[in-house]
Amino acid sequence: MTAEARAERNHLLATARDRAAAIRTEARRRGHDDAAAAGAADDAAAGRESRRIVLRARRDAYHALEQEVCERACAWLTEPAVEATVRARVEVALGPGASLVVTPGAVTGTLAGHRVEVTARALTGKALHELGTQIEEMWRT
């Protein structure tokens, strides 16, 4: 009976050891899988953050470019020869008797409910729009 009990005990211990080893192996596998999933999630989050930083830098660079172009357009519009040319073109567009208002960076004309504006901001927007995909080259250099 003692021998049977020892054999039973040894069998139970061996079974328990085998089961514990299987549980450890499964836990390691799950741990590796969980770590890989967590690593992939971290990589994806880092990628999103990196993209956000790049897009913010591009936006800031674009706004700085836009501001610089607008300031230069404003200065250009205040040059006497340019201002005279713009005034003449606004008058031609509206016709004789147009009322003109000249402010720094803008020439506005009105006549009979019609309005023509030439502004540094509008010129800037048009210039940058016409550059189109060429602006994308800024991000590649």
Side-chain angles (χ1 to χ4, degrees), residues 34-118:
D34 290 349
D42 288 347
D43 288 349
R48 285 189 302 274
E49 178 66 11
S50 174
R51 180 78 175 142
R52 188 181 65 75
I53 289 168
V54 166
L55 290 175
R56 183 184 320 137
R58 284 182 177 185
R59 182 194 65 217
D60 292 348
Y62 182 86
H63 287 312
L65 172 66
E66 183 179 44
Q67 183 64 33
E68 177 71 20
V69 170
C70 190
E71 288 171 6
R72 289 181 183 203
C74 187
W76 178 73
L77 281 173
T78 60
E79 292 177 11
V82 173
E83 184 182 306
T85 300
V86 171
R87 287 173 64 103
R89 288 189 178 182
V90 169
E91 287 175 334
V92 166
L94 290 170
S99 172
L100 297 179
V101 176
V102 178
T103 59
V107 175
T108 304
T110 55
L111 179 68
H114 297 283
R115 180 181 181 104
V116 173
E117 289 184 322
V118 178

